[in-house]
């Protein structure tokens, strides 16, 4: 069912127009069981009032990511170029969007930044999303927005790494070749042993103005294994805190 049901998920990229009745019809067309159909309809209904629905500052290809974050219990991220959106400061996010959105107006960019900051509220919900991030050392070395912006961002990472629901590990250059072999990816999941239909596991791969979403068990398993190896290759959380502190100190005037 899972692979066939993804046709419905693909249409969820525009939740401003999706209707739970549409999901129900698609599930019936895929010969889903009553339990599977009801589970999908329940998810569709639960998403209709999200803050991101109809928000022009959230691009269609990111809409599923925000929706899955809303439903997930944990999020695992490998970042090799920039700090993940959930951990960006406002100034860092502004510098990122100004570089990427060359033809957008100042007001449009500000809207995008505000949407990114609002997305971070998921880390303060109850129960909070558990975020585990492996940062390539290149992320600490890439100058985004200048020294002041980077110093603030490094300090923010150091603070967030000490919160109960956030784990940050740095993958140093000295680790050499590593398990990722690709760029930025995100694993979102929720495990429910008592009710497997309430579980979820999705991989998001970031592209230029596009996102690829994978939910095939083999694909998800492959990325989970890669993330496990990345965690083992990266500096442990205590050593990573020291690396973040060092990066912050190097940026001090």
């Amino acid at each position: 069912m899972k692979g066939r049901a993804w046709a419905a998920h693909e249409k969820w990229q525009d939740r401003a127009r999706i209707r739970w009745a549409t999901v129900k019809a698609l599930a019936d067309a895929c010969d889903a069981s009553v339990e599977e159909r009801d589970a999908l309809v329940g998810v569709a209904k639960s998403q209709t009032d999200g803050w991101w629905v109809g928000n022009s500052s959230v691009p269609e290809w990111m809409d599923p990511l925000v929706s899955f974050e809303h439903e997930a219990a944990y999020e695992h991220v490998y970042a090799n170029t920039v700090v993940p959106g959930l951990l960006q400061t406002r100034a860092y996010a502004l510098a990122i969007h100004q570089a990427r959105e060359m033809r957008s107006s100042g007001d449009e960019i500000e809207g995008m930044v505000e949407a990114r900051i609002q997305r971070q509220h998921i880390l303060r919900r109850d129960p909070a999303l558990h975020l585990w991030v492996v940062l390539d050392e290149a992320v600490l070395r890439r100058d985004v927005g200048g020294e002041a912006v980077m110093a603030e961002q490094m300090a923010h990472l150091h603070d967030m790494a000490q919160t109960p629901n956030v784990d940050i590990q740095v993958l140093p250059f000295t680790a050499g070749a590593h398990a990722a072999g690709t760029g930025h990816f995100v694993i979102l999941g929720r495990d429910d042993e008592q009710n497997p239909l309430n579980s979820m596991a999705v991989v998001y791969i970031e592209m230029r103005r596009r996102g690829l979403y994978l939910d095939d068990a083999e694909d998800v398993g492959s990325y989970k294994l890669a993330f496990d190896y990345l965690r083992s290759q990266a500096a442990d959380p205590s050593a990573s805190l020291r690396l973040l502190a060092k990066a912050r100190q190097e940026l001090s005037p």
Side-chain angles (χ1 to χ4, degrees):
M1 168 60 193
K2 204 169 187 182
R4 288 177 284 135
W6 187 244
H9 282 298
E10 287 176 341
K11 296 303 180 184
W12 291 8
Q13 291 182 358
D14 189 355
R15 294 184 187 275
R17 289 193 290 270
I18 195 69
R19 297 291 181 269
W20 66 264
T22 305
V23 174
K24 178 179 180 295
L26 286 168
D28 288 338
C30 290
D31 297 324
S33 68
V34 173
E35 292 80 9
E36 290 172 328
R37 183 197 65 197
D38 290 347
L40 285 170
V41 170
V43 171
K45 285 182 175 180
S46 71
Q47 299 298 322
T48 54
D49 295 326
W51 63 266
W52 57 92
V53 175
N55 188 329
S56 60
S57 295
V58 179
E60 290 185 359
W61 52 269
M62 277 201 69
D63 186 276
L65 174 63
V66 183
S67 298
F68 286 129
E69 282 179 342
H70 184 75
E71 297 295 323
Y74 64 85
E75 180 169 332
H76 296 165
V77 184
Y78 168 64
N80 66 335
T81 55
V82 298
V83 172
L86 290 179
L87 295 175
Q88 292 177 5
T89 63
R90 182 179 291 275
Y92 187 97
L94 177 60
I96 289 292
H97 281 89
Q98 287 175 332
R100 291 181 176 177
E101 305 296 330
M102 297 79 70
R103 297 188 177 184
S104 296
S105 68
D107 288 343
E108 289 172 328
I109 290 175
E110 183 58 36
M112 296 173 195
V113 172
E114 184 58 39
R116 177 150 298 184
I117 299 304
Q118 187 167 358
R119 181 180 152 217
Q120 295 175 359
H121 292 173
I122 200 76
L123 295 176
R124 296 188 291 275
R125 74 181 185 191
D126 186 19
L129 178 77
H130 182 198
L131 178 65
W132 196 318
V133 176
V134 174
L135 291 176
D136 193 291
E137 186 177 350
V139 176
L140 310 186
R141 303 303 174 188
R142 184 177 299 280
D143 187 347
V144 175
E147 287 190 0
V149 171
M150 287 298 295
E152 180 190 36
Q153 179 64 72
M154 293 303 106
H156 181 63
L157 288 174
H158 190 271
D159 291 343
M160 291 300 295
Q162 298 176 79
T163 59
N165 62 308
V166 177
D167 291 289
I168 298 177
Q169 290 182 258
V170 176
L171 183 66
F173 291 138
T174 54
H178 52 76
T182 57
H184 185 116
F185 68 84
V186 179
I187 304 170
L188 301 113
R190 181 184 62 226
D191 301 321
D192 190 337
E193 294 181 0
Q194 295 184 340
N195 182 11
L197 287 175
N198 195 41
S199 298
M200 63 171 280
V202 179
V203 172
Y204 165 70
I205 302 172
E206 189 169 289
M207 302 179 182
R208 171 69 180 171
R209 293 190 174 276
R210 184 184 170 202
L212 178 63
Y213 297 86
L214 307 172
D215 78 335
D216 179 79
E218 185 175 349
D219 290 331
V220 174
S222 176
Y223 276 91
K224 283 185 174 181
L225 181 62
F227 193 77
D228 286 341
Y229 273 97
L230 285 167
R231 286 189 287 197
S232 69
Q233 292 173 296
D236 65 40
S238 295
S240 294
L241 271 176
R242 292 192 293 271
L243 288 170
L244 291 171
K246 180 181 179 182
R248 168 67 182 88
Q249 291 169 359
E250 291 175 351
L251 291 164
S252 298

